[in-house]
Amino acid sequence: MGLKIWLNDGLVEESEAKISVFDHGLLYGDGVFEGIRVYDGKVFELQSHLERLYRSARAIRLSLPVAMETLADQVRQTVGANEINDGYIRLLVTRGTGTLGLNPLVCKQAQVIIIADEIELYPRELYEKGLRVISANTMRNHPLTVSPQIKSLNYLNNILAKLEALDRGMLEAIMYNHMGYVAEATGDNVFLVQNGRLLTPPVEAGSLDGITRQVVIRLARDNGYEVVEQNLTRFNLYDAEEIFLTGTAAEVIGIVEIDGRQVGSGKPGPVTMELLEKFEAYVRS
Ligand code: PMP
C-alpha cells in the first residue's frame, strides 16, 4: 500500500496522485512550496509555514484556491491518514494546467498537493562530528531576479551550488549574494558564533526567512544569548568560533570546516550543541 496523497479536494492513493504534463509547476517551476516537520504526531509551526506559503504565493501572483484554515485542516488530515508520528510534509501549490507558453494567466486552477511521509535525516553521527562545507561559486539569486524570500518550486540556483559541494565530496555549500555577503546554505540558514554572540545574515542578504531560524533565534535569546542580524563576509566565517546551519530537515547542525579551514576546535562547538539540545526539547514540548 502506498501513501495517501492530498490532491486538491481530497485524499487519493499514491498511484492515483497525478497531475498534467502541462502543469506550469512542471514546465516552468511555477509554484511555491513548504517543507514541514511532524513531531510526536503534531505538525510543527504549521501557522508560520502557511503564512510563508501564502506570502510566497502572493509574491508570484498565485492565488490559492483555499483559505489558510482549510489548508491547515487538509495538512492535518493527510498526516492522520498516513499515520505519521514523526515525519516530513511536502506542501506544494503549482500554477496549474496551462499551455506550452509561459503565460501563467491561462492556468485557471492552482493545484494543491500534500505529501506526508517518513523523513530521511542526516545520520546522527554528523551532528556529533559536524559538516564540512565549501563556498559556492554560484551566487545566490539576486533579489531583483527571484527573491530568495520566495520559496518557489524553482531551486536551480540552490541545486547548482549543491552540485559544487557534492563534486568536492561535501553535503552543503555556503552561498554568497551579489555583494559578496553570506546569504545562506543551499537548503539551510547560516549562523556563526563570535565572542559568545550569535550572528546571522538578515533575510535581505538573500536568504529564506527560515522557520527554524526564527525558532532558534527565539530559543537563543530566551537562553541569554545576544543574536544580531547583520551582513557577514566569507572572512567572518573563516574567523568564527562556531558555525551552524538551521533548517526544517537538518534542525541545528554544526560546521567544522569551510574551504579547507577548520572551524573552532574541529568539532561542533558548545553553543551549537546547546542550541541543538534546546531545539530538540522544544519541538517535543
Ligand atoms: N534556505 C533555503 C534555501 C531553504 O530551502 C530552507 C528550507 N529547507 C531554509 C533556508 C530553511 O528554512 P526552514 O527552517 O523554514 O526549513
Side-chain angles (χ1 to χ4, degrees):
M1 272 266 292
L3 294 171
K4 298 218 170 10
I5 311 288
W6 189 278
L7 188 56
N8 296 319
D9 40 23
L11 288 159
V12 296
E13 288 298 330
E14 183 182 324
S15 55
E16 302 301 315
K18 294 177 177 155
I19 61 160
S20 166
V21 293
F22 289 96
D23 193 303
H24 279 206
L26 175 68
L27 290 175
Y28 295 114
D30 187 352
V32 293
F33 79 101
E34 285 294 318
I36 313 171
R37 283 292 275 273
V38 182
Y39 294 105
D40 294 332
K42 209 168 149 266
V43 184
F44 184 63
E45 297 285 316
L46 180 56
Q47 186 64 24
S48 303
H49 281 285
L50 291 176
E51 280 168 14
R52 188 171 68 187
L53 182 79
Y54 279 74
R55 288 168 72 205
S56 292
R58 184 181 158 73
I60 66 164
R61 290 175 55 192
L62 171 63
S63 34
L64 270 87
V66 279
M68 205 183 282
E69 303 78 60
T70 312
L71 190 54
D73 195 51
Q74 294 170 352
V75 168
R76 289 196 202 94
Q77 277 189 56
T78 310
V79 170
N82 291 285
E83 296 176 15
I84 301 291
N85 203 47
D86 284 291
Y88 181 86
I89 302 161
R90 180 55 60 89
L91 165 57
L92 303 89
V93 185
T94 74
R95 185 76 70 175
T97 305
T99 62
L100 287 179
L102 204 59
N103 184 356
L105 302 180
V106 302
C107 305
K108 293 298 174 217
Q109 183 65 49
Q111 303 282 303
V112 176
I113 301 162
I114 309 170
I115 307 167
D117 202 353
E118 308 295 326
I119 181 166
E120 261 185 58
L121 296 169
Y122 279 146
R124 187 73 229 168
E125 62 166 43
L126 269 189
Y127 289 82
E128 273 132 41
K129 284 195 183 154
L131 278 180
R132 295 159 63 221
V133 300
I134 54 152
S135 291
N137 287 321
T138 306
M139 186 180 90
R140 189 72 180 105
N141 279 339
H142 191 290
L144 291 179
T145 59
V146 183
S147 167
Q149 286 179 253
I150 301 172
K151 197 162 169 63
S152 92
L153 288 179
N154 192 318
Y155 255 53
L156 278 175
N157 181 229
N158 314 55
I159 288 166
L160 292 179
K162 181 92 174 178
L163 281 172
E164 291 184 48
L166 295 172
D167 284 348
R168 310 245 210 105
M170 311 216 179
L171 296 173
E172 260 296 358
I174 304 294
M175 302 186 75
Y176 298 82
N177 68 19
H178 59 288
M179 295 183 294
Y181 292 119
V182 177
E184 59 185 339
T186 68
D188 294 306
N189 290 109
V190 179
F191 285 77
L192 65 79
V193 180
Q194 191 66 284
N195 298 323
R197 293 193 315 166
L198 298 184
L199 306 180
T200 191
V203 289
E204 298 78 28
S207 58
L208 186 70
D209 192 358
I211 310 293
T212 320
R213 173 185 185 276
Q214 290 170 8
V215 170
V216 166
I217 289 176
R218 214 165 58 225
L219 287 175
R221 286 184 176 146
D222 287 350
N223 283 280
Y225 288 103
E226 190 184 341
V227 185
V228 183
E229 295 179 54
Q230 67 172 54
N231 279 326
L232 300 171
T233 61
R234 189 181 301 200
F235 176 78
N236 292 140
L237 293 178
Y238 292 168
D239 202 34
E241 289 155 16
E242 299 182 33
I243 306 175
F244 62 88
L245 306 181
T246 65
T248 290
E251 300 183 323
V252 176
I253 191 160
I255 301 293
V256 293
E257 184 192 301
I258 173 165
D259 300 335
R261 291 144 178 96
Q262 178 175 300
V263 180
S265 65
K267 289 169 76 177
V271 179
T272 303
M273 293 314 271
E274 181 189 344
L275 289 171
L276 170 60
E277 201 177 297
K278 297 271 191 269
F279 185 81
E280 287 187 328
Y282 176 76
V283 298
R284 297 188 187 279
S285 63

